[in-house]
Amino acid sequence: MNSLGKNNFKKASLSIFIAFSMIFCSVFFNLKTIEKSFADGDMEYAVDSAEVLTTDELETLKSKLAQISDENNIDVGVVTVEYLDGKTAQEFANDLFEQNKFGKGENRDGILLLVATEDREWAMSTHGSAKEAFNEEGLDYLSGEFLPYLSDDDFYSAFENFADNAGELSAMYVAGDPYGENYDDEGNYPIEGESTEEEGINNSVWIPLSIVIGCAISLVIMMMYKSQLKSVRSESRADDYLMDMKLVKSQDIFLYRTVTRTMRPKNTDTGGSSSGGGSSYGGSSGSF
């Protein structure tokens, strides 16, 4: 190989080495940024490694998540990365949760939303009591609410929506009524704000009331007939006893109705999993 060829080979090798070094450094510092944010339990509730939020949006989100976490004693966090580095979104989220000791208390109660902006994948990881607070129905509800925003790359709205709804579900769990516990075997549930019976008078009132009304109507009719009997003398003709009878009105009365709603299945994976540390995690994941 002549000197010119050797120089070209050295330049090409140096370019490849520099390119790989930059990729390695990018991944390394990306992970270090996340680790630093979660270090020693003094963590930020929102870590935007993918840099999809403005400074003001990030600070507002951190404040909201911190307040929600403290109010219900269940950590609620959000992390963005660009790539998943060969892992599934669920594995990445669980590893972040485990390695950075996310969650409150001995059981590390919390839920963490991970979004990989370039891989277009997301996952929610739950641990401790958060697995009950954010059960399968709850996770399905959360993802159904924030996914439309993710699909439009409106990341701040997606995270704000996730935070607000996670706060509501946390509060329901603390109050002893976790989301989805009152579902029937077919996944039906009453629409919020509507009763399964028509509001107003229920069956326990309608039945005796109907009997009373029926008796009253019968009594009125009998009194009307009696008032027409002005003489007790007998009549020689049978048709004198005949009375005109006409059917005035007939109708069916609709007393009550039952309202049910069936959940729509969503294209997400939901189920338990374990991290490398052996802890049991719940969660769900999907793409956007």
Side-chain angles (χ1 to χ4, degrees):
M1 181 181 297
N2 57 37
S3 59
L4 181 60
K6 289 181 179 180
N7 289 335
N8 290 336
F9 177 76
K10 288 180 180 180
K11 290 180 180 179
S13 300
L14 181 61
S15 298
I16 294 173
F17 174 77
I18 293 173
F20 275 105
S21 297
M22 290 177 66
I23 293 173
F24 173 78
C25 290
S26 174
V27 173
F28 177 78
F29 285 115
N30 183 45
L31 294 176
K32 283 298 181 183
T33 299
I34 297 173
E35 290 175 4
K36 182 179 180 181
S37 299
F38 288 113
D40 301 324
D42 185 21
M43 52 152 285
E44 302 284 356
Y45 285 96
V47 180
D48 183 27
S49 296
E51 298 182 349
V52 294
L53 302 176
T54 66
T55 301
D56 289 342
E57 287 174 341
L58 182 59
E59 292 304 316
T60 301
L61 183 61
K62 286 180 182 179
S63 178
K64 178 187 286 285
L65 292 170
Q67 181 179 353
I68 290 170
S69 299
D70 291 339
E71 285 176 351
N72 302 294
N73 207 32
I74 296 177
D75 273 347
V76 180
V78 172
V79 176
T80 69
V81 296
E82 291 183 329
Y83 300 100
L84 296 171
D85 303 328
K87 297 181 180 180
T88 67
Q90 194 67 65
E91 290 171 342
F92 203 112
N94 290 353
D95 286 346
L96 279 178
F97 205 120
E98 180 71 20
Q99 294 168 7
N100 298 291
K101 297 180 175 57
F102 187 62
K104 287 188 179 294
E106 289 184 3
N107 295 324
R108 293 172 43 226
D109 307 321
I111 179 171
L112 181 67
L113 171 62
L114 169 76
V115 174
T117 57
E118 296 299 324
D119 286 335
R120 310 293 291 178
E121 298 283 336
W122 63 269
M124 287 182 286
S125 180
T126 58
H127 193 273
S129 64
K131 289 194 295 182
E132 299 176 24
F134 304 99
N135 50 33
E136 183 176 349
E137 292 86 358
L139 292 173
D140 184 63
Y141 169 74
L142 288 177
S143 62
E145 293 295 309
F146 69 70
L147 272 176
Y149 297 106
L150 279 186
S151 298
D152 292 337
D153 289 340
D154 187 356
F155 294 103
Y156 179 72
S157 295
F159 300 149
E160 185 179 43
N161 177 278
F162 166 75
D164 289 337
N165 287 318
E168 290 184 9
L169 267 61
S170 295
M172 290 174 65
Y173 173 76
V174 172
D177 185 24
Y179 182 88
E181 269 202 356
N182 295 322
Y183 284 62
D184 63 24
D185 293 336
E186 297 180 357
N188 299 322
Y189 60 99
I191 299 175
E192 184 178 357
E194 290 191 19
S195 170
T196 54
E197 293 185 356
E198 189 72 22
E199 292 184 2
I201 303 177
N202 56 31
N203 288 346
S204 63
V205 178
W206 264 116
I207 293 175
L209 183 61
S210 298
I211 295 174
V212 172
I213 293 174
C215 292
I217 293 174
S218 299
L219 182 60
V220 170
I221 293 174
M222 291 176 63
M223 294 297 293
M224 291 173 60
Y225 288 165
K226 183 178 179 181
S227 66
Q228 296 177 3
L229 300 177
K230 298 180 179 179
S231 174
V232 294
R233 74 178 186 277
S234 61
E235 294 286 346
S236 59
R237 297 173 56 192
D239 56 0
D240 289 332
Y241 290 100
L242 295 181
M243 300 174 59
D244 291 335
M245 297 182 61
K246 295 181 180 179
L247 183 61
V248 177
K249 184 177 182 182
S250 176
Q251 65 177 354
D252 293 328
I253 301 176
F254 182 68
L255 299 181
Y256 66 93
R257 63 189 175 94
T258 299
V259 180
T260 59
R261 180 180 172 190
T262 303
M263 292 191 304
R264 296 174 296 173
K266 296 181 175 64
N267 296 323
T268 58
D269 296 325
T270 305
S273 59
S274 299
S275 72
S279 297
S280 176
Y281 286 88
S284 65
S285 61
S287 58
F288 63 94

